[in-house]
Amino acid sequence: MTTAAGNNKQLIEQLKNIAGQHHVLTGEDSTYRFTHGFRFGAGKVLAVVQPGSLIELWRIAQACVNADKIIIMQAANTGLTGGSTPDGNNYDRDIVLISTLRLDKSHLIGNGKQVVCLPGATLYELESKLAAIGREPHSVIGSSCIGASVLGGVSNNSGGALVQRGPAYTEMAVFGQVGPDGKLQLVNHLGIQLGNDPEAILQKLEAGTFTEADIDWNAGKGHDGNYINHVREIDADTPARYNADPARWYEAAGCAGKLVVFAVRLDTFPANKDTSVFYIGTNNTDELENLRRHVLTAFNELPICGEYIHRDAFNIAEKYGKDTFAVIRYFGTKFLPKMFAMKSRFDIFSKKLGFLADHLSDRIMQAISYLLPRQLPTRMLEYRDKFEHHLMLKVSHDLAGPMRQYLQTYFGSVTGEYFECTPEEGKLAFLHRFAAAGAAVRYRAVHHKEAEDIVALDVALRRNDHEWFEKLPQDIEDKLIVKLYYGHFLCHVMHQDYVVKKGYNAIAVEHEMLPGLDARGARYPAEHNVGHLYKAPQNMLDHYQQLDPCNCMNPGIGQATKRKSWVAESV
């Protein structure tokens, strides 16, 4: 009789034959950086496999399905809610985590008006490729600064900062789906004729050996073209965008790892040139909300983005995101994945030794950051001292004149102020805003004796919500060290990070916060998806069950059951 251990050994040998011995990782040290989330989530796996071609990915997925293993698909592992890593060790089957980073090709089609991206293509690489022809991908700032993948954004309907483009969305993809019969089937809804045999399809797709004549230009949407109108509805009693909105679920879009996605087809956009950035400060939240409502309704064109940061987040980012800020400023975002990989290897080494201090890599990096010169422009620092609330508006060349005239008039009658950034100031202002996203993690690491953990919420507020700035009950305030508020203000999407005091359970504190958000009509998560951090609503679970009836792909997402065929945990 073959034992479970024998079956596992046989599967690992099969995976090595497919991907090569060096691309099948089984030791805890070698799998650590894949099994631990960027901010949240960790667990053991039978193996991490790194396919080098789409055919290898197909064969690996087939082998895992046939062996009755759980598959977790992972690209850059930059998610904030643990959606592409295991969540503990209470699964009823072994896990094989498939890392797609080696599958990083993308093919421009239609003179670059659209792009076909393989699973490991990153936003940074796509942005660089499109820049050469004067175009941009769906997202160009924010998560792309830490090496996020294109497909990860689509799988989670990630939002981002660009107001006109909305959440990542497509109706065109090639994917593998495990049906009720437990068999893996390849589905080509890419709108490109690639043949009928699965491996022939995947070989042609990866090589890009299809022609313009093979492409159906009416196959489906490559982005949510209605969002630009949707976000303008400032009196609507619902949020503009949030992950549990079924209007943006379509096969690969919003699948959250419930499919093996081999490629997605997306629209690209003309690059904005000669942009202007206006930096706004105020101590009155009504002034920002009135400005938001006017900007969304009074102009023929919307701003490119409008990013908010609170003074406390400004200060924390200045101190605890300084090294990340400097690396991006001087070396570009391409260096960041390498930096995170080196940090991960150091963390593994220090953990193995046992006697080194906790969070040592973060503490060393923070110490180095104190030696760096000041990074922020003087005018931004002066506004930090004067104003609690900060907003950055980036607009096109055509909108700059009308926006300048409006701001001159508006700030002639209110208490806030603004200035028009130089190109360098504008670049640094937005870079500082996005450095805030990792600052709470560093703060917790450096202050680990005082800080228990982080509660990280991304919240979609109602479009008509005038009282957008959060006021917490005192009993919750007393459990927090610091609060960081920043977000995509024109969309009313706020990122809210809370560092919880030592001795308090962060999950319990989060649960105390959620009823207040519910009472405000907010929805959460807004753009990072449920992962293992949030409880998914029933319609979302129904959607996942329809995509993955066997519950063999990324089970447990949205705090659902991890058991095969969606059997309840209590049974």
Side-chain angles (χ1 to χ4, degrees):
M1 189 176 197
T2 306
T3 64
N7 283 334
N8 286 345
K9 184 177 180 181
Q10 184 178 357
L11 175 62
I12 289 171
E13 286 303 312
Q14 186 179 0
L15 297 176
K16 288 179 178 178
N17 288 335
I18 297 170
Q21 185 170 346
H22 295 297
H23 298 297
V24 179
L25 313 176
T26 56
E28 189 173 347
D29 289 352
S30 61
T31 61
Y32 182 92
R33 67 189 179 98
F34 301 95
T35 59
H36 289 68
F38 178 70
R39 183 184 276 181
F40 177 86
K44 294 181 179 179
V45 298
L46 176 65
V48 171
V49 191
Q50 301 169 292
S53 70
L54 293 184
I55 290 178
E56 286 184 11
L57 173 56
W58 170 250
R59 292 174 180 173
I60 289 162
Q62 281 185 313
C64 293
V65 170
N66 292 339
D68 196 26
K69 303 303 181 187
I70 287 168
I71 296 174
I72 295 179
M73 299 295 297
Q74 184 186 97
N77 193 17
T78 59
L80 302 182
T81 60
S84 60
T85 56
D87 175 47
N89 300 310
N90 59 333
Y91 293 84
D92 62 347
R93 293 148 289 164
D94 296 311
I95 298 170
V96 175
L97 191 153
I98 303 177
S99 170
T100 62
L101 285 179
R102 296 176 66 205
L103 309 175
D104 58 357
K105 287 184 180 178
S106 58
H107 305 299
L108 301 184
I109 60 176
N111 296 319
K113 292 182 180 179
Q114 288 190 333
V115 62
V116 174
C117 292
L118 302 196
T122 65
L123 285 167
Y124 173 82
E125 290 163 338
L126 180 58
E127 188 178 338
S128 299
K129 179 180 286 191
L130 288 170
I133 59 171
R135 297 188 72 83
E136 295 175 344
H138 173 271
S139 180
V140 297
I141 46 180
S143 56
S144 58
C145 291
I146 53 175
S149 70
V150 175
L151 203 143
V154 172
S155 296
N156 293 295
N157 289 139
S158 298
L162 301 182
V163 182
Q164 302 171 16
R165 300 178 192 174
Y169 178 78
T170 186
E171 297 173 356
M172 298 172 287
V174 174
F175 55 89
Q177 183 171 30
V178 182
D181 59 356
K183 303 295 184 182
L184 181 67
Q185 301 293 327
L186 187 71
V187 179
N188 178 12
H189 287 170
L190 198 64
I192 302 176
Q193 291 294 327
L194 297 167
N196 298 310
D197 175 71
E199 294 200 356
I201 288 171
L202 296 175
Q203 185 176 28
K204 193 171 184 179
L205 173 60
E206 183 165 1
T209 53
F210 46 85
T211 67
E212 293 284 313
D214 295 322
I215 301 172
D216 177 4
W217 294 106
N218 298 304
K221 297 177 181 178
H223 81 288
D224 179 8
N226 187 54
Y227 185 78
I228 195 168
N229 301 313
H230 184 72
V231 73
R232 286 184 183 268
E233 297 172 0
I234 59 171
D235 293 318
D237 200 37
T238 56
R241 53 179 168 93
Y242 55 98
N243 291 131
D245 184 354
R248 298 188 184 93
W249 300 337
Y250 194 95
E251 297 177 341
C255 73
K258 288 294 184 178
L259 300 170
V260 182
V261 184
F262 292 88
V264 294
R265 178 176 159 190
L266 298 160
D267 293 335
T268 70
F269 305 86
N272 290 290
K273 298 179 181 179
D274 300 322
T275 59
S276 296
V277 174
F278 299 95
Y279 197 96
I280 296 161
T282 182
N283 292 313
N284 186 331
T285 58
D286 286 342
E287 291 180 5
L288 286 191
E289 181 57 24
N290 291 336
L291 181 150
R292 170 185 168 271
R293 294 174 68 85
H294 183 87
V295 165
L296 286 176
T297 57
F299 296 100
N300 292 329
E301 179 184 337
L302 288 182
I304 298 165
C305 50
E307 292 296 295
Y308 167 82
I309 186 168
H310 183 265
R311 178 159 54 198
D312 292 345
F314 185 114
N315 290 334
I316 294 293
E318 182 191 14
K319 185 173 182 179
Y320 296 96
K322 188 178 182 182
D323 53 331
T324 301
F325 182 105
V327 166
I328 298 172
R329 181 181 183 182
Y330 297 116
F331 301 104
T333 58
K334 191 173 184 178
F335 184 74
L336 278 186
K338 296 178 183 177
M339 186 177 80
F340 285 125
M342 289 188 291
K343 180 179 181 298
S344 176
R345 285 193 286 270
F346 183 86
D347 288 338
I348 294 167
F349 173 75
S350 61
K351 182 181 178 183
K352 188 184 293 186
L353 292 179
F355 59 84
L356 296 176
D358 291 337
H359 309 290
L360 184 59
S361 64
D362 277 295
R363 294 164 72 180
I364 291 173
M365 291 169 73
Q366 186 60 30
I368 293 172
S369 75
Y370 292 140
L371 304 176
L372 296 172
R374 191 186 80 185
Q375 299 293 310
L376 296 178
T378 299
R379 289 200 287 182
M380 282 179 61
L381 295 172
E382 290 173 348
Y383 266 47
R384 181 268 313 274
D385 295 337
K386 290 177 66 175
F387 301 115
E388 182 179 2
H389 306 283
H390 299 239
L391 177 66
M392 291 143 272
L393 282 179
K394 185 176 184 179
V395 301
S396 71
H397 174 78
D398 291 342
L399 185 55
M403 186 62 68
R404 187 180 299 114
Q405 185 176 7
Y406 162 68
L407 293 177
Q408 288 173 350
T409 302
Y410 183 67
F411 284 102
S413 60
V414 297
T415 60
E417 299 176 17
Y418 84 97
F419 65 86
E420 186 168 352
C421 295
T422 66
E424 181 69 6
E425 285 175 329
K427 175 185 173 183
L428 297 182
F430 278 95
L431 178 52
H432 179 62
R433 153 62 188 89
F434 290 109
V441 176
R442 175 67 60 78
Y443 184 98
R444 176 189 61 181
V446 173
H447 298 277
H448 61 99
K449 292 182 180 179
E450 299 86 25
E452 184 68 34
D453 209 340
I454 296 170
V455 172
L457 299 175
D458 62 300
V459 179
L461 303 176
R462 292 176 292 116
R463 283 168 283 175
N464 65 351
D465 192 349
H466 288 264
E467 303 296 327
W468 57 271
F469 191 70
E470 183 175 62
K471 296 178 178 63
L472 288 172
Q474 191 60 45
D475 61 327
I476 296 179
E477 289 273 8
D478 292 341
K479 299 171 185 175
L480 306 175
I481 299 174
V482 68
K483 302 173 294 183
L484 281 71
Y485 295 103
Y486 51 96
H488 315 308
F489 188 65
L490 298 182
C491 299
H492 255 197
V493 167
M494 298 296 295
H495 298 292
Q496 303 177 177
D497 296 342
Y498 314 86
V499 181
V500 179
K501 290 180 181 177
K502 203 74 173 177
Y504 292 102
N505 184 289
I507 294 176
V509 171
E510 178 182 348
H511 289 170
E512 290 180 54
M513 294 175 173
L514 299 184
L517 293 174
D518 294 337
R520 296 171 62 192
R523 299 296 296 265
Y524 47 87
E527 59 182 14
H528 291 155
N529 220 346
V530 289
H532 291 285
L533 198 58
Y534 295 92
K535 183 176 177 61
Q538 189 59 49
N539 67 335
M540 199 174 209
L541 295 178
D542 293 342
H543 169 63
Y544 292 156
Q545 189 166 354
Q546 183 181 22
L547 292 176
D548 176 27
C550 294
N551 205 24
C552 60
M553 301 291 303
N554 213 9
I557 288 294
Q559 300 181 9
T561 176
K562 296 175 179 175
R563 296 179 64 179
K564 186 176 180 179
S565 300
W566 297 86
V567 174
E569 303 276 1
S570 57
V571 174

